[in-house]
């Protein structure tokens, strides 16, 4: 696969092949049942083969379809253990790599962005991509001043391909939902579309990365590469090595898992406080554990702005979810638009739902785990299947201003469960999330900044 399939008919056919392929394998599975194979074994094989095809096609399509796969991959910790194993290899591959585009195509993008004499700006440039992601690939190079740099090159036609994906991606909803119980796919895809439009803008990404770099420049626990140059569909930043987070997940020591987990949690919650932004894409491919123990962070495309007022409100809601009664939780939910003013819900049921999910912020030390996430996923799935008119799932909605930050923090939680990290997460929230540990109103000047 050398380039994004840009013709709508080609991409539509690939996306359409997923449910058809699933149906075909299901038919084969039913046939095997008739010759004595256990139903559970057949079902597991169908799930495994479906996952293989799903992530293979998403990876080939790149663009929006692959981005959806990357997002879903961080939630594998919520799958039943008997299914999580078969999925994990496909998911990890999707997080880390995608087929590259030809060198000649990359050169054309470089010339359009940095000028026909772009090679003069580099002492060295490796034509072989070091990594290929959803809407671009990265080349390792040496800048003219001797710095080793990462050169991010956007795939030609990426914007058109993204729009084509999102016109067709709803086809996958019925397929993906059974594989990832408890996840509402359609709202996630809608939010992804908005975020990806920002990710296509390398000017916006460079601005966000520069803001994070400045905010964390003196922090001994983080390494945010500086922006070296940006023009057109080319972004040049400092290069960082380190151990990919996927390797820490698969084989890291307990000390490494706990340290990375704590630093990731802190980074996600400290970003809004330090620079008014939150990293929107916390999948393992965007993080590295450096040899000196720092957490290296990459890919700031689509970073979401978080106002001081919204950050304080999140802290207030978090405080109520950990210390408040069911009645207080319902009142806060109405005030912030999570519940309609006339919605009738049982405060005790709301407390039963909210309190377990707030456990990392209640206990002095908490250990994220796949078991905990599966338990909460199953709890959510049970609620989601209750579609009676008065059920709580019909009453709750996620206000637009919370979509991006909810996606980011949910993704962070998924990675922490993959790491099975343990740490003093409550203390980190008290330190970095205003409104959580105190009742003070946000500073008016900051809130409007």
């Amino acid at each position: 696969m050398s380039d994004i399939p840009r013709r709508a008919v080609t991409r539509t056919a690939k996306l359409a092949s997923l449910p058809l392929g699933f149906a075909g394998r299901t038919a084969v599975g039913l046939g095997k049942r008739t010759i004595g194979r256990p139903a559970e074994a057949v079902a597991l094989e169908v799930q495994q083969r479906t996952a293989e095809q799903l992530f293979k096609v998403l990876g080939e399509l790149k663009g929006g379809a692959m981005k959806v796969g990357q997002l879903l991959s961080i939630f594998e910790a919520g799958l039943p253990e008997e299914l999580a194993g078969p999925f994990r290899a496909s998911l990890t591959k999707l997080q880390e790599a995608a087929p590259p585009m030809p060198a000649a195509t990359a050169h054309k993008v470089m010339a359009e962005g940095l000028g026909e004499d772009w090679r003069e700006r580099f002492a060295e440039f490796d034509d072989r991509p070091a990594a290929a992601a959803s809407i671009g690939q990265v080349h390792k190079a040496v800048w003219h001043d001797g710095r080793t740099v990462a050169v991010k090159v956007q795939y030609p036609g990426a914007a058109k391909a993204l729009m084509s994906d999102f016109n067709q991606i709803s086809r996958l909803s019925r397929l993906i939902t059974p594989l990832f119980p408890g996840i509402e796919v359609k709202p996630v895809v809608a939010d992804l579309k908005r975020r990806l439009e920002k990710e296509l803008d390398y000017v916006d990404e460079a601005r966000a990365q520069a803001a994070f770099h400045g905010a964390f420049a003196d922090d001994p626990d983080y390494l945010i590469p500086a922006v070296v140059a940006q023009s057109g569909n080319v972004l040049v930043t400092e290069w960082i090595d380190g151990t990919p987070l996927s390797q820490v997940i698969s084989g890291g020591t307990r000390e490494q898992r706990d340290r990375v987990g704590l630093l990731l949690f802190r980074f996600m919650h400290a970003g809004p406080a330090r620079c008014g932004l939150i990293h929107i894409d916390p999948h393992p491919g965007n993080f590295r554990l450096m040899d000196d123990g720092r957490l290296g962070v990459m890919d700031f495309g689509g970073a979401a702005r978080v106002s001081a007022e919204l950050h304080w409100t999140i802290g207030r809601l978090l405080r109520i979810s950990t210390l408040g009664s069911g009645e207080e939780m319902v009142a806060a939910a109405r005030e912030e638009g999570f519940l309609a003013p006339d919605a009738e819900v049982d405060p005790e049921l709301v407390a039963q739902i909210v309190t377990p999910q707030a456990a990392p912020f209640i206990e002095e030390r908490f250990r994220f785990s796949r078991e905990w996430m599966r338990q909460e996923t199953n709890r959510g799935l049970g609620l989601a299947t209750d579609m009676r008119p008065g059920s709580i799932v019909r009453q709750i909605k996620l206000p637009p201003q919370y979509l991006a930050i909810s996606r980011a923090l949910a993704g962070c939680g998924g990675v922490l469960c993959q790491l099975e990290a343990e740490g003093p997460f409550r203390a980190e929230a008290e330190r970095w999330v205003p409104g959580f540990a105190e009742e003070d109103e946000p500073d008016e000047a900051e809130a409007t900044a």
Side-chain angles (χ1 to χ4, degrees), residues 243-366:
T243 302
L245 200 55
S246 59
Q247 292 184 24
V248 179
I249 289 171
S250 62
T253 65
R254 168 52 48 198
E255 182 181 3
Q256 288 176 323
R257 290 169 178 270
D258 289 347
R259 176 167 179 77
V260 167
L262 185 66
L263 293 182
L264 175 60
F265 183 93
R266 181 187 301 163
F267 177 75
M268 297 301 293
H269 288 83
R274 290 188 173 191
C275 60
L277 294 166
I278 188 168
H279 190 290
I280 203 65
D281 198 9
H283 74 79
N286 287 336
F287 299 91
R288 298 287 186 270
L289 176 60
M290 312 306 294
D291 291 342
D292 59 8
R294 288 183 294 173
L295 182 67
V297 187
M298 303 176 293
D299 197 349
F300 294 85
R305 182 157 295 282
V306 182
S307 68
E309 183 178 14
L310 178 59
H311 200 205
W312 179 88
T313 301
I314 291 169
R316 172 177 172 266
L317 292 173
L318 186 58
R319 186 180 70 249
I320 293 172
S321 71
T322 57
L323 300 175
S325 64
E327 287 78 6
E328 290 173 314
M329 294 178 192
V330 170
R334 290 189 201 279
E335 183 180 344
E336 292 303 316
F338 291 91
L339 285 172
D342 58 349
E344 296 183 5
V345 295
D346 182 354
E348 291 186 9
L349 178 58
V350 172
Q352 290 174 14
I353 296 168
V354 172
T355 302
Q357 295 181 5
F361 302 92
I362 296 174
E363 302 176 17
E364 292 294 331
R365 291 185 65 84
F366 181 81

Side-chain angles (χ1 to χ4, degrees), residues 155-175:
Y155 300 124
K160 291 182 180 179
L162 285 177
M163 295 308 103
S164 175
D165 285 349
F166 281 103
N167 287 335
Q168 301 297 330
I169 204 71
S170 60
R171 286 176 169 271
L172 299 179
S173 298
R174 285 180 293 177
L175 172 63

Side-chain angles (χ1 to χ4, degrees), residues 114 121-122 141-151 206 209-210 213 224-231 234-239:
L114 299 180
R121 307 182 73 173
F122 297 90
V142 178
W143 197 239
H144 60 79
D145 62 5
R147 281 182 290 176
T148 302
V149 294
V151 184
Q209 183 161 342
H213 174 75
I224 314 295
V227 175
V228 176
Q230 189 285 316
S231 182
V234 179
L235 173 62
V236 184
T237 67
E238 292 177 336
W239 178 271

Side-chain angles (χ1 to χ4, degrees), residues 2-6 101-102 104-106 108-109 112 135-137 153-161 233:
S2 60
D3 204 347
I4 292 183
R6 278 165 285 178
M101 61 176 150
T105 305
K108 182 178 179 181
V109 178
E112 290 172 351
I135 60 176
Q137 64 188 36
V153 183
Q154 190 174 120
Y155 300 124
K160 291 182 180 179
N233 289 329

